[in-house]
Amino acid sequence: MSSDIRFTDFKSDKQPTWCPGCGDFGTMNGMMKALAETGNDPDNTFIVAGIGCSGKIGTYMHSYALHGVHGRALPVGIGVKMANPDLEVMVSGGDGDGYSIGAGHFIHACRRNVDMSYVVMDNRIYGLTKGQASPTSREDFETATTPDGPNQPPVNPKALALASGATFIAQTFSSNSQRHAEIVQEAIEHDGFGFVNVYSPCVTFNDVDTYDYFRDTIEDLDETDHDRHDREQAKDKILEGDKEYMGVLYQDENSVPFEEREGVEGSMAEIPDGAPEGAMDLVREFY
Amino acid sequence: MPDDLNWAIGGEAGDGIDSTGKIFAQALSRAGRHVFTSKDFASRIRGGYTASKIRTSVDRVESVVDRLDILIALTERTVHENEDELHEDSVVIYDGERSTMQDVEVPHGATALEVPLKRLAEDAGGAIMLNVVALGAACEVTNFPIENLDESLQKRFGDKGEAIVENNKKAARMGQEYVREEFDHDFPYDVETTDEDYVLLNGDEAIGMGAIAAGCRFYAGYPITPATDVMEYLTGRIDQFGGKVVQAEDELSAINMALGAARAGARSMTATSGPGIDLMTETFGLVATSETPLVICDVMRSGPSTGMPTKQEQGDLNMTLYGGHGEIPRFVVAPTTISECFWKTIEAFNLAEKYQTPVFLVSDLAMAVTEQTFSPDTFDMDEVEIDRGKVVDEDDIDAWLDEKGRFQAHFPAADGVSPRAFPGTTDGAHMTTGLEHDELGRRTEDTEVRVEQVDKRNRKVETAKEQEKFDYREFGDPDADTLVISWGSNEGAMREGMEFLSEDGIDVRFISVPYIFPRPDLTEEVQAAETTIVVECNATGQFADVIEHDVLERVERINKYTGVRFDADELAAEVKATIAGETGTQEVQAE
C-alpha cells in the first residue's frame, strides 16, 4: 500500500452511461475517495457489483472486480474475503439487488460480519428497467407495474440490518460528497461488515424521492447527540419512519470479523505442487 | 464369485442402524476383509424402516447381491422387508422376548435365532446396547472372532469414556455367549480374517479427501442429502491445511461464495444434490463467462422436485450437461467407483484451473452412502499432480498487458486459455462480468468481439480434447458380440454381473464411462458390437440418448428408477434378457 494513491487511480477509462445528474456518480466518487483515503490501491482491492444501474460501477472503477448475478454480490464478496483477508473487499449494488432479490443474502451477510463494506445505492426505483417499484418505494408510489402504488410498506433496510445483528449501520446522501466519502471510509475501517445505505436519487424515473426531498428532510447525526454505540438509540432512529438521517446509526465497538473468528490467517491462493504435507494421514484415518 | 457373506441390520430410523452397521463394517475391514455396504434409510428421524447391509469377502466386493445370510431384525417389519433375500441357510437374529416380535415368522426355512437382546443389554449396563448384543450374536453365528469388534467399539464410543466402551465389549460378549450356550453350533458360516490392512470410506468422503489432496482451500455449501457428507468431511479437516468450510444460507449463496473464493485465487468447490443444482444453475453461466475455475459437485438423488431424497437415481445427466440459459462451456466428469471419486475430484480441480471453466463432478447416492474397503495405497498421495494452468505473477504479467498497461484477463489466446492473475498481483487489476465483455473484461456488444469471446471460451473445450485423455474403463471380452455401456456407480454391479453372465456362458464387453463431456467417441465400439446396451439408473435413458446422438445408431436400454441401485445378479439377468430380445426393463420397473 502506498500513500501516493489518488482516488482517480480507482477510475477506469470507461465513461459512465448513467443519466446526467444520477446520484450514482456521487456515490461512486465517494467510494473511490474512501478507498484511496484508507490507503488501498486498485491491485489489492476487490469490488463486487450487483445488477442494475448501480451494478455498472465495476466497469467504471479500476480494481479487481466482478460484476455477477442479480442479487448475489454479497456472497461473492464473502468468498473473496474468506479466501484472501488481505484484500480490501467492497460490495456495491442497488435497492433491488440488495433488498429484493438478494434480501436473503443481505440478512445473512449482516449476521456473518465478514470484514468488508457494502454500499447500497438506494434510489427507491428500478431504473435500468425504466421505472418499476423497488422494495424501498413508497406504499403509494405509482409506476407502470404498480399503478396504484405497491400497496405494501417499503422495506426498512437499516431495521433489517439491526435485527440481523449488523455491527455497522450507516446512511449517506450521494449529493453530500464530503460526508458520504467520510462515512464510507468509516465503513471500510470498521472491523466487520460495514453497511452504508446511500440515498442516490434517480432523476429520470423517481420524481418523489428527489435531491430536493432528501436535502430538505435529511438530518446529519453528527449535528445531534446521537450515540452510535447505543443500540437502543439506533433502534429508535431507524424505526422513527418519517425522518431521514445521515451518519453512522450504529456501530458495535466489539465487533470481531467472521474470518478472524474462524481463524483464517492469510491468502488461500498458494498451494503446493502436489498433495499437501500430511495428506496421507487423511487416508490412515479411514483404518 | 467371491466367497461372500451378506449381513444386514434393520429397524426403525433412530434405532442406531447406521452406526451399528458402521461398527461391524469397520470390524470386518480391520480383520482384513473386504466390505461393501449399502443403506436404505428413511428421511424422517423416526418412524420409517431403515437398514444397513454389508457384503463382505476376503476377495474384493464391488456391489450388492440379492441375498441375505445374516439378518438382525429389530422390528417385525424388517423380516418382511427382506423376505425375498432370505434362504434356507439364513439366520435371523431377533429379540423373541419383545412383545412386538411375537408374530415373527422366518421364511424359507431360515433359522430363527431368538436372543433376548434387550435383557442381555440391560445386564451389561443399559438397554441402549442391544444392537451390540446382536453384533456379538452375529459374531458367534459367523465364527468371526469377537475381538475384532473391540477396536471399532473403541472408535465409536471412546469419547464417551472407558466405562461405556467396556460395557459395550461386555454386551457383545453376552450376545456371543448366549448363542454359544443356547444353540447348537451348526451354522454354515466361517468369516475368515486376513493380515491385510484396509481403509473403509464412502464416496462423499473420497470426494472430500480428493479435494484436500488437490489443494482445495475453500468450500461453501448448504446441507442436502446425500451431499452433506462431503461438507462434514471437509469441516475441520480442511482447516488443518489452511482452508475453510462455510455453511451458506442457501445454494445460491454457496456457489457465489465458492466463485468469489476462486476469483481470489483459491481452489474452491461446492457440493449439492438435485434441488441445489437447480438453484446453482443461475450462476453456471457467470462461472463460465467470467472464466472462473470452479468445481461443482452434484451427488445425485431421486428427483424431480423433492423426489425420494434418500434414494438412488442418475437423473441429473442432462441438467449438468445442458443446464443454464445460453450456451455454457463446461466439463462433466462422473466417477464410476468410490476410489475414482477421489482421483476424479483431483482431476476436476486441474481441469477447472487449466481451462478456467466450471467442472461438474457428478456422483450419486449409491456411492455416497456406500462404504467400501481399499488398500491404503489406492490413495497414494505421492501420485497427486497439481496443474494450476496459466497463472501469472508480477514477474511475467507484463507480457499480458495491453499497450495502455491494462491486464487482459480474457485475452483470446490460440488455445482459448487466458492468463490468470490473482487479486493482489501488481498491475493485474481487472474486472470481469457476466455481461459479454472484451479482452479486458469490459462490457461490449460489438459483434466481432462477441464472436471472438464466444469462440475463445468454446475453444478451451477443444483444446482440452486435444490435451487430455477423456477415456473409458474397459472390462470383459473386447471381441464380445454384446457391448454394455454404463456411467456412474453402476460399474461395480456390472463387473460382478459379468461373472454371473459368464456362468451362463455369456461374454460381454463392458465400457464404463467417467467422462460425460467431453466424452470418448464410442462410434467404433458400438458399430463393432451386435448389441449395445446402455445401463443407467433413470427412466428415460439420458446417457443412452447421448450415445445414440454420438454414434447415430439405436441402442438397447436398461433403466432402473425404483430408487434402489442395481444388484449384480439382477443386472446380469436384465442383460441376459435384453440379449434374448426381451424388453429388459419391465421386471426392474415392477420391483
Side-chain angles (χ1 to χ4, degrees), chain B residues 165-178:
Chain B
V165 176
E166 285 310 313
N167 282 351
N168 275 282
K169 288 181 186 172
K170 192 170 149 198
R173 280 162 179 80
M174 288 175 81
Q176 177 193 36
E177 277 156 27
Y178 186 87

Side-chain angles (χ1 to χ4, degrees), chain B residues 7-139:
Chain B
W7 175 100
I9 181 167
E12 289 187 5
D15 280 343
I17 301 297
D18 278 2
S19 59
T20 310
K22 174 98 186 179
I23 290 167
F24 197 49
Q26 244 165 14
L28 290 162
S29 166
R30 294 304 289 135
R33 293 183 63 85
H34 276 295
V35 166
F36 188 98
T37 75
S38 64
K39 291 175 201 169
D40 287 305
F41 57 90
S43 60
R44 283 172 293 168
I45 298 300
R46 256 201 104 76
Y49 166 72
T50 177
S52 174
K53 296 185 182 180
I54 298 174
R55 185 154 174 244
T56 175
S57 168
V58 289
D59 303 318
R60 271 205 77 70
V61 272
E62 300 281 358
S63 76
V64 285
V65 288
D66 200 11
R67 191 184 93 228
L68 264 185
D69 305 311
I70 312 292
L71 173 64
I72 297 171
L74 297 184
T75 58
E76 192 194 341
R77 182 178 166 190
T78 305
V79 182
H80 294 304
E81 293 274 1
N82 295 282
E83 227 164 47
D84 295 344
E85 303 194 359
L86 294 170
H87 53 90
E88 61 176 353
D89 287 333
S90 299
V91 178
V92 181
I93 299 167
Y94 65 97
D95 191 341
E97 290 183 3
R98 303 292 287 269
S99 59
T100 51
M101 302 296 280
Q102 296 304 311
D103 301 328
V104 169
E105 282 178 34
V106 173
H108 309 308
T111 304
L113 204 67
E114 290 193 20
V115 181
L117 303 174
K118 185 159 178 269
R119 179 157 56 82
L120 293 175
E122 279 166 352
D123 290 348
I128 195 165
M129 297 184 292
L130 67 90
N131 294 4
V132 178
V133 175
L135 282 181
C139 285

Side-chain angles (χ1 to χ4, degrees), chain B residues 22 25 35-41 52-55 60-64 200-206 226 229 299 312 337-339 341 363-374 489 565-566:
Chain B
K22 174 98 186 179
V35 166
F36 188 98
T37 75
S38 64
K39 291 175 201 169
D40 287 305
F41 57 90
S52 174
K53 296 185 182 180
I54 298 174
R55 185 154 174 244
R60 271 205 77 70
V61 272
E62 300 281 358
S63 76
V64 285
L200 181 70
L201 66 162
N202 69 34
D204 279 1
E205 290 167 333
D229 275 359
V299 186
Q312 160 72 351
T337 67
I338 289 170
S339 57
C341 283
S363 172
D364 59 44
L365 183 134
M367 284 193 283
V369 301
T370 290
E371 288 180 312
Q372 196 177 2
T373 39
F374 296 92
S489 67
R565 77 183 82 191
F566 286 105

